[in-house]
Structure formats: structure tokens, C-alpha cells
Amino acid sequence: SQQGEEDPQALSIQEGENATMNCSYKTSINNLQWYRQNSGRGLVHLILIRSNEREKHSGRLRVTLDTSKKSSSLLITASRAADTASYFCATVHTGANSKLTFGKGITLSVRP
Amino acid sequence: DGGITQSPKYLFRKEGQNVTLSCEQNLNHDAMYWYRQDPGQGLRLIYYSQIVNDFQKGDIAEGYSVSREKKESFPLTVTSAQKNPTAFYLCASSIEGLAGGKETQYFGPGTRLLVL
């Protein structure tokens, strides 16, 4: 399976702390994306990192990509209660008809 | 406002009944997708369409059908052949299709399908 795997499955932190979420995948990728989903809602795109990039920032988000280890991490700094959501990594693998393949997600709870 | 709309928000299906989920976008995107999400799970691709009048099966197409007669619309029919239809269904669109396009997907708010 090409599906990415996130780690941990669930994470609970105090407001103001940093949250680190990891994603691993099995075959080579074109890019890797992180999405956020609030309970019962659609997904919202957070950030995209291409295979030739190692790090990207967007506001309080920092994403790294290590293609040699086939892994990525999403760091949310200075977390807020409003960051409580599920976070998914999605990979686009190289090759014909490549598609966006989602992991099972990480549930983040930020305690006020 | 630009975006993707899905209706209804909740849908109830009786045994043996076909039901159709609506997805409309005004983003002028060529590609549209349908995903199924089960509790605690990631998204699984049902069908996708890269251009009007063309669509392809995803990973779990059995028991579902789609049409793409207009660029803005990509309805999904859950047929009676789908024996376990209870799930959260998400529609998405993107600028490029799957083959060449590896960019961001924009999602609708979802439809929750329940079986009576």
C-alpha cells in the first residue's frame, strides 16, 4: 500500500505548547501535503512540500521532508485550543495516474 | 464566494434504494473527486474526473456511480449494490487532474449517509 502512516494516532497537549506530528510513506513521492479536518467538516489544505524541498513554513506551521527516510513532520508552534482537529498527511506518488493518498490521521487535542 | 458545496448535509437511505449526493464547484477547476471516510479512518478515493464527460474508478468504486456532464457538477450515486454505505462522503476539486497534477485539493463540507 502507498498509504502514509501518521504518528502518533492521538496527541493531547496544553495550550502554548508545540505539537509535532509525523508521517511516513513507502514509495517515492512527487509531493506531500498536510490537511486539517475539524469534527464533521471537510478537509482544509495546510501546506504542500515538494520532493526537492526539505522545509517549508506557513505562519505557525513548519513542515519538514526527509526523502531518504521517507518521512515528514508537521510542527505547530504555540498551539491554541482552536488547533484541536484531525490532521492528515497525503502523498502524491510518482508515476502515471498518481493520486493523493491519505493516511488515517492524527487527532490533536489542545487543552485550554 | 468561491468554493465547493455538497448537499444534503445528511442523507438517509432505505434498503435497496439508490441515493444521489450532489457536489457543485464554482472554482473553475477541471478535476473533481469523491472520497469516502469511515470513523477514525483516512479518505479513500471512490471516483475522480479530470475533465467533463470523463471519469475514472478510484480504489473503492464498487456500488457507486458518477457522471460529469458539466464542469461544475460531479454527482455521486450510491446504488443498492453498495452493502455498507454508511459513511461520510467528501467531494473535492483541484486545478489539475491526477495524472499531471499534484496540487492542492479543495474540499466540500461533506454529506453523512445513514442507512435506515
Side-chain angles (χ1 to χ4, degrees):
Chain A
S1 169
Q2 294 179 330
Q3 187 177 40
E5 295 184 3
E6 294 102 337
D7 168 63
Q9 290 186 329
L11 182 60
S12 180
I13 59 174
Q14 199 73 34
E15 201 165 29
E17 294 180 339
N18 295 342
T20 299
M21 291 169 272
N22 303 299
C23 172
S24 61
Y25 55 91
K26 297 180 180 177
T27 59
S28 63
I29 61 170
N30 179 286
N31 70 54
L32 184 146
Q33 304 176 32
W34 285 91
Y35 287 80
R36 166 193 169 128
Q37 183 181 35
N38 286 68
S39 181
R41 307 291 291 274
L43 275 70
V44 175
H45 179 261
L46 295 176
I47 198 164
L48 179 154
I49 187 165
R50 302 186 190 280
S51 60
N52 61 352
E53 298 174 314
R54 292 297 167 258
E55 187 171 315
K56 284 190 80 169
H57 296 257
S58 177
R60 294 184 295 113
L61 306 181
R62 172 179 168 249
V63 170
T64 62
L65 179 65
D66 187 335
T67 52
S68 67
K69 295 182 179 179
K70 293 186 171 58
S71 67
S72 172
S73 67
L74 171 67
L75 170 68
I76 303 175
T77 60
S79 65
R80 306 166 181 168
D83 294 328
T84 295
S86 293
Y87 292 81
F88 294 87
C89 77
T91 48
V92 178
H93 295 270
T94 53
N97 294 323
S98 57
K99 60 186 180 184
L100 203 59
T101 303
F102 287 84
K104 293 184 177 182
I106 298 170
T107 301
L108 173 65
S109 298
V110 182
R111 303 185 301 274
Chain B
D1 284 339
I4 301 179
T5 57
Q6 291 186 243
S7 62
K9 187 172 182 179
Y10 295 96
L11 186 58
F12 298 91
R13 193 191 91 162
K14 296 179 181 178
E15 292 288 338
Q17 186 182 39
N18 292 354
V19 292
T20 298
L21 285 63
S22 169
C23 178
E24 304 277 332
Q25 54 100 359
N26 61 5
L27 300 168
N28 200 33
H29 287 172
D30 288 311
M32 296 186 74
Y33 315 84
W34 273 106
Y35 293 93
R36 170 181 172 140
Q37 185 178 32
D38 292 282
Q41 301 295 313
L43 279 65
R44 293 184 289 170
L45 184 64
I46 305 172
Y47 267 98
Y48 62 96
S49 168
Q50 295 178 257
I51 198 168
V52 175
N53 292 323
D54 184 58
F55 49 83
Q56 306 294 330
K57 292 182 179 180
D59 298 321
I60 54 167
E62 186 173 351
Y64 300 98
S65 66
V66 294
S67 63
R68 187 85 188 277
E69 296 177 0
K70 298 187 298 182
K71 187 175 186 178
E72 312 80 53
S73 178
F74 191 40
L76 173 74
T77 296
V78 183
T79 74
S80 57
Q82 173 50 245
K83 298 306 179 187
N84 184 24
T86 298
F88 190 50
Y89 291 86
L90 288 158
C91 178
S93 69
S94 68
I95 295 174
E96 296 176 78
L98 292 176
K102 302 112 177 152
E103 305 299 327
T104 302
Q105 291 188 11
Y106 296 82
F107 284 81
T111 292
R112 190 165 300 279
L113 177 61
L114 301 165
V115 176
L116 294 176

